[in-house]
Amino acid sequence: MGKQMTEMLKGTLEGMILAILAVRPAYGYEITARLRDEGFSDIVEGTVYAVLIRIEKRDLVDVEKVPSEKGPPRKVYSLNAQGGEYLEEFWGTWSFLAERIAQLRQHIENTQETGE
Amino acid sequence: MGKQMTEMLKGTLEGMILAILAVRPAYGYEITARLRDEGFSDIVEGTVYAVLIRIEKRDLVDVEKVPSEKGPPRKVYSLNAQGGEYLEEFWGTWSFLAERIAQLRQHIENTQETGE
DNA sequence: CCTGACTACTCTGTACTACTATCTACCACT
DNA sequence: AGTGGTAGATAGTAGTACAGAGTAGTCAGG
């Protein structure tokens, strides 16, 4: 994983996982696989589990143990009301940051064009 | 500063500062003030200086001491070639992440509409 | 003239938190 | 016994927050 990406994931990975859970409940291994499919190719499983444990402790998700055909039972996480609120906050924070950064980028492009 | 914002700044603040320097050279105090103007109202000076020292050590910027009318001499930072490359990388990483997150958000909205 | 208050400016040290790497361990089927 | 799905622990690295110190000018009041 690139160093820049690693740092950027701090503060966003948690939100992304909550967002995934907002679509539908899922378990750790599945979430890892989905993230990998979406291009976060070398995300570490341990990282995802750490996030899941954290959000469970903060009571942002409900947990249900479901037996799987292979291996130990899955822990299926689903977003609860509190988690929904937290996710809303996340979108707010993210939007703010993304807008500022887009602005900065725009500013640079204008500068280069006009040679300010 | 909100906890979520604090975490999100990890990995992005550095890029933002480089982006500011890409527009024109600047010194620490000035950068802090500009960030504050743009809405990052409670960013701490010490945080900015830490980033500046780091990017100087990594040789992403050139430094010039300029006497100021008030107070100690300013350290004016300007982006060098290597810093420019690094900033390009940053935009790449950021774009990737921002796109995925936008996709996730879109997905949630669609889910809510159609009740998938 | 001198002192103290205020502003501009830089830098340092400690604490907190998140992600990574690596490893352990469990379970079921072949 | 081996393979693949599944969960978790631990130690290490790195970035930001916060608090505070230090330096160098200006200006008001005595």
Side-chain angles (χ1 to χ4, degrees):
Chain A
M1 183 81 73
K3 193 160 159 290
Q4 287 189 340
M5 185 56 92
T6 292
E7 290 307 324
M8 270 188 214
L9 284 179
K10 297 185 181 178
T12 50
L13 181 59
E14 183 177 291
M16 288 197 289
I17 289 179
L18 289 175
I20 288 176
L21 294 179
V23 176
R24 82 176 81 86
Y27 56 98
Y29 195 80
E30 183 189 3
I31 294 172
T32 308
R34 202 176 304 173
L35 286 171
R36 288 220 170 107
D37 284 346
E38 292 197 13
F40 299 95
S41 45
D42 5 63
I43 211 150
V44 178
E45 286 182 1
T47 303
V48 174
Y49 286 109
V51 173
L52 290 174
I53 290 169
R54 208 162 67 225
I55 63 181
E56 181 182 354
K57 272 188 190 149
R58 287 198 201 137
D59 203 30
L60 304 176
V61 286
D62 294 332
V63 185
E64 192 187 359
K65 284 229 173 189
V66 178
S68 78
E69 302 117 32
K70 296 181 92 176
R74 297 167 173 169
K75 278 181 77 175
V76 176
Y77 295 82
S78 52
L79 204 65
N80 63 24
Q82 206 177 327
E85 278 174 36
Y86 190 84
L87 182 56
E88 277 310 308
E89 253 185 74
F90 171 78
W91 289 131
T93 309
W94 170 260
S95 301
F96 179 83
L97 185 63
E99 272 169 35
R100 303 300 140 169
I101 290 184
Q103 233 173 45
L104 270 176
R105 197 172 189 175
Q106 192 62 43
H107 195 179
I108 292 177
E109 278 163 17
N110 292 344
T111 303
Q112 286 171 342
E113 275 168 24
T114 64
E116 182 198 12
Chain B
M1 183 82 72
K3 195 160 158 287
Q4 287 188 339
M5 185 56 92
T6 293
E7 290 308 323
M8 270 188 215
L9 284 178
K10 296 184 181 179
T12 51
L13 181 59
E14 182 178 290
M16 287 196 290
I17 289 179
L18 290 175
I20 287 175
L21 294 178
V23 175
R24 83 176 79 87
Y27 53 97
Y29 195 81
E30 185 188 2
I31 293 173
T32 308
R34 202 174 304 174
L35 286 172
R36 288 218 171 108
D37 283 346
E38 293 198 11
F40 300 95
S41 45
D42 7 62
I43 212 147
V44 179
E45 286 183 359
T47 303
V48 174
Y49 284 106
V51 174
L52 290 174
I53 289 169
R54 208 163 64 231
I55 63 181
E56 182 182 356
K57 273 189 191 150
R58 288 200 200 133
D59 202 30
L60 304 176
V61 287
D62 293 331
V63 185
E64 193 188 359
K65 284 230 175 191
V66 178
S68 78
E69 302 115 34
K70 298 179 92 175
R74 299 168 173 167
K75 277 180 78 174
V76 175
Y77 295 82
S78 51
L79 205 64
N80 63 23
Q82 206 176 328
E85 278 174 36
Y86 190 83
L87 182 56
E88 277 310 308
E89 253 185 74
F90 171 78
W91 289 131
T93 308
W94 169 260
S95 301
F96 179 84
L97 185 64
E99 271 170 35
R100 303 298 140 169
I101 290 184
Q103 234 173 43
L104 270 175
R105 197 171 189 174
Q106 192 61 45
H107 194 178
I108 291 176
E109 278 163 17
N110 292 344
T111 303
Q112 286 172 344
E113 276 167 23
T114 65
E116 183 198 13

